[in-house]
């Protein structure tokens, strides 16, 4: 047990597992103590997937052991310790009372709720909390706020270019490599009827003793939670995360760009990196990820459109959504521009639906705690948008079921990008589409009873029915958005009888979805 003459109590949260953290600058192994805690509420404030719980707890325990091996004192509370308290704040208060430190410090949390909880506990104990910047990221909330000041609209592309210039990424003589900033137009390929062919199998990580102990704990403490641990093979240490990065750079990055938006039956991973959870737990440094990708381009191992598209996700999108989150929290969480108020359908927790695309995306989510960005945005997210599900419920589902979900990155992507609930802060238009989009990007529709071209009838695709109904319901609100002009013109071509039939079928669909958890 750590000494009781503690100078500084250094708080490490479950998504702050980087040894180069500012928290360890000048760390005095003789007088300072690291504090870490597993508490029930962090697994239950949303109905969390078993794999997400297991990943966080296993990675935390491995990090604890790494720190102790390096000679640091770590005061660590496990979920199965006797008398463990429900919340981080309560556990921290008890530790402060027991160790009686002179100071308390932390790196800024990744979630507004957790940051306020820690601040309140420390303040109640009579301390002024030292909050250090999170230098894992390549920008700060303050830099983003300065970028946002005076702008009528915030768009990823402009912030991304600023960061490219600031960090000298994919630049030649101050200009973008290849002459263009963005190769998104080259990153929308499909596999065609022949399919993806033989795909490179991602590197898997067999659970070690620590992870297997966590599995037993999760099954004991959270037996009714969604998902499975049967397929768990996520990196839980920095060494494993580095190997996962190596595997992606060598085997999947070359084809990532062209096929990053594609979908295929029973292929959950395709050419995606599978390193988002390692980045978000800070097992990987994004600078190293960007360096390795850029190096692959310069060595001829990967084409520019793949490398730029991937770097845009790390240096661009990841930094951008974090800026949005801290600029607008806490009120951002309550936004609901479209007035959506319906409950989340029950099948989001079971995958039990006749719609093959949703069955595929949700099924792999429950198996692996993973789905790639198009499955999240244009399958599960799209359906919730078209149905009119309360965006808070959609957010809580995404936060619960994906192993890489930390609120700073998940909330803006879900509430803003996917559900358009923030009135265009994140996205310039709602990402609404009919079943034809899914048909074009995948082979899902070939294994489905519904026809993506039909909006009315027994075999009409619910996506298509609900798409036209969504446009009709929100026509007045969307009329001033130039990016919606073509879709609204297509709506105008439908006569009154056809629209009435669509709206009747859409309402019947919603009635069927009222049976929720």
């Amino acid at each position: 047990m750590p000494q009781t003459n503690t100078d500084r109590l250094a708080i490490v949260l479950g998504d702050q597992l980087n040894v180069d953290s500012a928290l360890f600058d000048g760390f005095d192994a003789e007088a300072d103590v690291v504090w870490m805690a597993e508490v029930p509420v962090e697994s239950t404030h949303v109905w969390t997937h078993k794999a997400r719980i297991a990943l966080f707890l296993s990675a935390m325990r491995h990090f604890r052991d790494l720190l102790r091996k390096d000679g640091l004192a770590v005061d660590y509370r496990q979920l199965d310790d006797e008398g463990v308290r429900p919340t981080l704040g309560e556990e921290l208060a008890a530790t402060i009372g027991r160790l009686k430190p002179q100071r308390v410090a932390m790196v800024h949390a990744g979630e507004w709720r957790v940051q306020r909880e820690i601040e309140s506990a420390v303040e109640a104990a009579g301390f002024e909390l030292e909050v250090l910047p999170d230098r894992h990221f390549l920008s700060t909330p303050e830099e983003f706020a300065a970028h946002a000041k005076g702008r009528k609209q915030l768009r990823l592309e402009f912030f991304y270019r600023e960061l490219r210039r600031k960090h000298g990424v994919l630049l030649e003589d101050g200009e973008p490599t290849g002459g263009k900033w963005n190769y998104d137009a080259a990153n929308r390929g499909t596999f065609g009827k022949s399919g993806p062919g033989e795909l490179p199998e991602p590197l898997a990580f067999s659970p070690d003793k620590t992870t297997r102990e966590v599995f037993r704990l999760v099954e004991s403490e959270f037996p009714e939670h969604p998902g499975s641990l049967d397929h768990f093979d996520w990196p839980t240490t920095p060494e494993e995360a580095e190997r996962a990065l190596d595997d992606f750079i060598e085997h999947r990055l070359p084809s990532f760009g062209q096929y990053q938006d594609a979908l295929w039956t029973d292929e959950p991973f395709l050419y995606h990196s599978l390193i988002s959870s390692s980045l978000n737990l800070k097992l990987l440094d994004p600078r190293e990820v960007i360096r390795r990708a850029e190096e692959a381009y310069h060595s001829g191992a990967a084409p520019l459109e793949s490398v730029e598209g991937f770097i845009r996700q790390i240096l661009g999108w990841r930094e951008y959504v974090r800026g949005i989150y801290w600029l607008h929290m806490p009120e951002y969480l309550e936004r609901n521009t479209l007035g959506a108020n319906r409950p989340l359908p029950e099948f989001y927790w079971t995958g039990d639906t006749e719609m093959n695309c949703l069955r595929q995306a949700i099924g792999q989510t429950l198996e692996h705690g993973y789905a790639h960005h198009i499955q999240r945005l244009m399958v599960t997210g799209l359906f919730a948008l078209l149905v009119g599900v309360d965006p808070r419920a959609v957010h809580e589902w995404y936060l619960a079921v994906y192993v890489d979900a930390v609120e700073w990155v998940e909330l803006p992507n879900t509430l803003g990008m996917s559900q358009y609930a923030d009135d265009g802060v994140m996205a310039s238009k709602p990402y609404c589409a009919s079943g034809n989009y899914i048909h074009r990007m995948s082979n899902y529709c070939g294994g489905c009873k519904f026809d993506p071209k039909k909006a009315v009838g027994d075999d009409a695709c619910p996506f298509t029915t609900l798409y036209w109904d969504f446009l009709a319901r929100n026509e007045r609100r969307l009329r001033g958005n130039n990016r919606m002009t073509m879709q609204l013109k297509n709506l105008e071509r439908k006569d009154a009888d056809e629209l009435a039939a669509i709206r009747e079928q859409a309402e019947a669909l919603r009635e069927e979805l009222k049976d929720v958890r």
Side-chain angles (χ1 to χ4, degrees), residues 260-276:
Q260 65 174 289
D261 286 2
L263 308 150
W264 201 259
T265 298
D266 296 332
E267 294 292 351
F269 306 126
L270 298 172
Y271 292 101
H272 290 271
S273 71
L274 310 182
I275 63 169
S276 56

Side-chain angles (χ1 to χ4, degrees), residues 90-273:
E90 289 170 291
E91 271 298 336
L92 179 59
T95 304
I96 291 173
R98 174 166 46 85
L99 296 184
K100 298 179 173 55
Q102 299 299 308
R103 299 177 293 152
V104 182
M106 71 178 298
V107 167
H108 203 287
E111 184 171 344
W112 190 90
R113 173 188 63 87
V114 172
Q115 183 66 33
R116 293 299 175 265
E117 184 176 341
I118 298 294
E119 289 174 349
S120 296
V122 173
E123 182 182 358
F127 290 86
E128 182 176 340
L129 178 64
E130 180 185 4
V131 181
L132 304 170
D134 192 341
R135 63 188 184 206
H136 166 85
F137 296 95
L138 287 91
S139 65
T140 67
E142 292 76 20
E143 286 174 332
F144 186 83
H147 167 85
K149 188 175 182 180
R151 294 179 185 264
K152 292 182 179 179
Q153 287 187 321
L154 298 175
R155 293 293 171 256
L156 164 70
E157 184 66 24
F158 303 117
F159 190 57
Y160 170 54
R161 293 182 187 186
E162 286 183 14
L163 293 182
R164 287 265 297 272
R165 289 192 174 101
K166 176 183 176 181
H167 296 283
V169 174
L170 286 179
L171 291 181
E172 295 177 4
D173 299 324
E175 295 300 318
T177 299
K180 294 169 60 177
W181 287 103
N182 186 311
Y183 288 84
D184 187 51
N187 294 342
R188 301 170 188 167
T190 65
F191 294 120
K193 293 182 180 179
S194 61
E198 187 175 353
L199 291 162
E201 192 73 22
L203 193 63
F205 300 94
S206 298
D208 63 6
K209 179 181 177 182
T210 297
T211 302
R212 291 194 299 271
E213 289 174 352
V214 167
F215 285 178
R216 288 191 287 271
L217 175 65
V218 171
E219 294 290 12
S220 171
E221 297 295 322
F222 308 105
E224 301 303 319
H225 277 233
S228 168
L229 295 173
D230 294 344
H231 303 280
F232 186 101
D233 59 2
W234 297 104
T236 59
T237 68
E239 293 77 17
E240 289 181 342
E242 285 285 349
R243 289 171 57 204
L245 174 62
D246 292 344
D247 182 65
F248 167 66
I249 295 291
E250 180 177 357
H251 298 294
R252 300 191 301 286
L253 176 60
S255 296
F256 166 78
Q258 182 178 0
Y259 297 118
Q260 65 174 289
D261 286 2
L263 308 150
W264 201 259
T265 298
D266 296 332
E267 294 292 351
F269 306 126
L270 298 172
Y271 292 101
H272 290 271
S273 71

Side-chain angles (χ1 to χ4, degrees), residues 309-351:
F310 177 65
I311 286 176
R312 190 174 351 116
Q313 290 188 347
I314 309 300
L315 180 61
W317 201 249
R318 197 165 178 266
E319 301 288 332
Y320 178 71
V321 297
R322 179 172 180 254
I324 293 285
Y325 180 83
W326 288 110
L327 183 67
H328 291 288
M329 282 297 283
E331 59 83 23
Y332 191 82
L333 185 60
E334 307 302 327
R335 293 194 179 190
N336 188 356
T337 295
L338 300 179
N341 58 11
R342 294 183 178 271
L344 189 74
E346 166 68 15
F347 65 71
Y348 273 71
W349 299 104
T350 66

Side-chain angles (χ1 to χ4, degrees), residues 396-448:
E396 290 178 352
W397 183 78
Y398 278 87
L399 185 61
V401 299
Y402 290 115
V403 295
D404 58 6
V406 181
E407 194 176 83
W408 66 264
V409 65
E410 176 277 324
L411 178 61
N413 271 308
T414 301
L415 187 140
M417 185 74 171
S418 172
Q419 300 303 295
Y420 199 68
D422 65 358
D423 201 22
V425 170
M426 272 286 291
S428 56
K429 64 180 283 292
Y431 275 81
C432 58
S434 72
N436 284 321
Y437 173 86
I438 297 170
H439 179 57
R440 185 170 68 251
M441 299 303 296
S442 76
N443 70 334
Y444 289 163
C445 299
C448 189

Side-chain angles (χ1 to χ4, degrees), residues 32-67:
D32 296 344
V33 174
V34 173
W35 178 80
M36 301 177 71
E38 306 168 6
V39 296
V41 164
E42 292 308 304
S43 298
T44 59
H45 76 283
V46 292
W47 200 41
T48 304
H49 194 300
K50 291 176 182 178
R52 182 172 181 263
I53 301 171
L55 177 59
F56 272 77
L57 298 189
S58 177
M60 288 171 67
R61 293 184 183 191
H62 281 100
F63 190 69
R64 170 201 64 193
D65 295 344
L66 174 64
L67 295 180

